[in-house]
Amino acid sequence: MDRPAVDIRFEVLTGDALERHLRELARLRIDVFREHPYLYIGSMEYEARYLRAYQEAEESVIIGAFDGNALVGAATGLPLSAEPPTMTEPFRARGLDPESFFYFGESVLQRSYRGRGIGVRFFEEREAYARSLERFSRCCFCAVERSEEDPRRPADYRPLDRFWHNRGYRKIEGMSVSLSWQDADETEESLKPMSVWMKSL
């Protein structure tokens, strides 16, 4: 049974608040995305650029989860139309208007804080934020696709599909986008297929 997140403080990070926690956010992303299924090798320089893009994008949001003064998790979102064509064109090809979607970039959380309802709260906070903007009818996110036969897959790994279904999200069958990053066992970046999940607001 999940432990409640009653001792966790949630804060929308913008401006000076984001600036103060930028390095913590970068380190958190690197640490969490090193795990399966992302297997991501990141750098502080890249992460700083990535997070500053959220800081500068209109209508973007970063929500931080704090235990006392320590940042233990974060979730991001921004209008899908702010993403590059490699993200938006697959939507247009399916007759879906990117302008109507608010895109959830990621949720990252230290392992010891998982199972306490924080992930649920991240979705609730971003959905509420998207509704407050009053111009989005749907929200969506992407999830990396890895083979069940991948030898790097931990024996205890559990996909998050059920969690996402319980939040009301459904996978758009037959649709995928591609994003590029360097896996832990790669010498350079390569494209990774990503499934698309969405929900009406």
Side-chain angles (χ1 to χ4, degrees):
M1 184 175 180
D2 287 353
R3 293 172 294 161
V6 294
D7 53 343
I8 300 298
R9 184 180 87 257
F10 295 87
E11 180 181 342
V12 176
L13 301 179
T14 58
D16 291 342
L18 176 56
E19 191 71 31
R20 286 196 305 273
H21 296 289
L22 205 58
R23 289 190 64 82
E24 290 173 274
L25 275 166
R27 176 52 60 192
L28 186 62
R29 272 179 43 91
I30 290 172
D31 290 347
V32 172
F33 282 136
R34 177 63 180 79
E35 302 172 16
H36 189 84
Y38 286 90
L39 305 172
Y40 163 72
I41 294 293
S43 70
M44 294 297 287
E45 292 76 17
Y46 172 84
E47 293 300 323
R49 290 195 304 272
Y50 174 86
L51 291 166
R52 286 192 186 281
Y54 273 89
Q55 186 178 22
E56 296 167 0
E58 292 186 9
E59 299 180 316
S60 66
V61 65
I62 297 179
I63 298 164
F66 293 85
D67 186 350
N69 292 322
L71 181 72
V72 299
T76 66
L78 80 173
L80 179 62
S81 58
E83 291 288 335
T86 52
M87 286 286 293
T88 58
E89 285 307 314
F91 282 80
R92 297 187 195 280
R94 292 287 294 261
L96 300 170
D97 181 7
E99 294 287 343
S100 69
F101 283 87
F102 192 80
Y103 176 67
F104 295 167
E106 64 268 301
S107 296
V108 289
L109 185 63
Q110 289 182 12
R111 181 178 291 274
S112 60
Y113 287 86
R114 297 171 194 174
R116 300 176 64 178
I118 297 172
V120 173
R121 182 71 178 271
F122 278 155
F123 273 93
E124 292 173 345
E125 292 285 340
R126 288 180 296 181
E127 289 168 10
Y129 177 81
R131 290 189 189 98
S132 75
L133 298 174
E134 297 185 344
R135 70 181 187 88
F136 299 102
S137 59
R138 290 170 285 195
C139 49
C140 65
F141 64 88
C142 297
V144 65
E145 292 287 311
R146 300 284 191 183
S147 170
E148 292 184 7
E149 309 304 319
D150 191 327
R152 300 168 299 181
R153 178 186 173 111
D156 62 350
Y157 173 71
R158 294 184 179 179
L160 291 173
D161 296 38
R162 179 178 293 181
F163 172 80
W164 296 328
H165 270 280
N166 289 343
R167 307 276 73 73
Y169 289 82
R170 298 295 180 264
K171 184 188 290 188
I172 306 178
E173 295 299 336
M175 179 178 173
S176 67
V177 301
S178 295
L179 295 178
S180 181
W181 67 82
Q182 182 181 342
D183 279 357
D185 57 356
E186 292 181 325
T187 58
E188 59 185 21
E189 291 186 2
S190 64
L191 287 172
K192 313 296 192 299
M194 311 279 288
S195 60
V196 179
W197 295 67
M198 76 174 190
K199 174 183 178 178
S200 295
L201 288 171

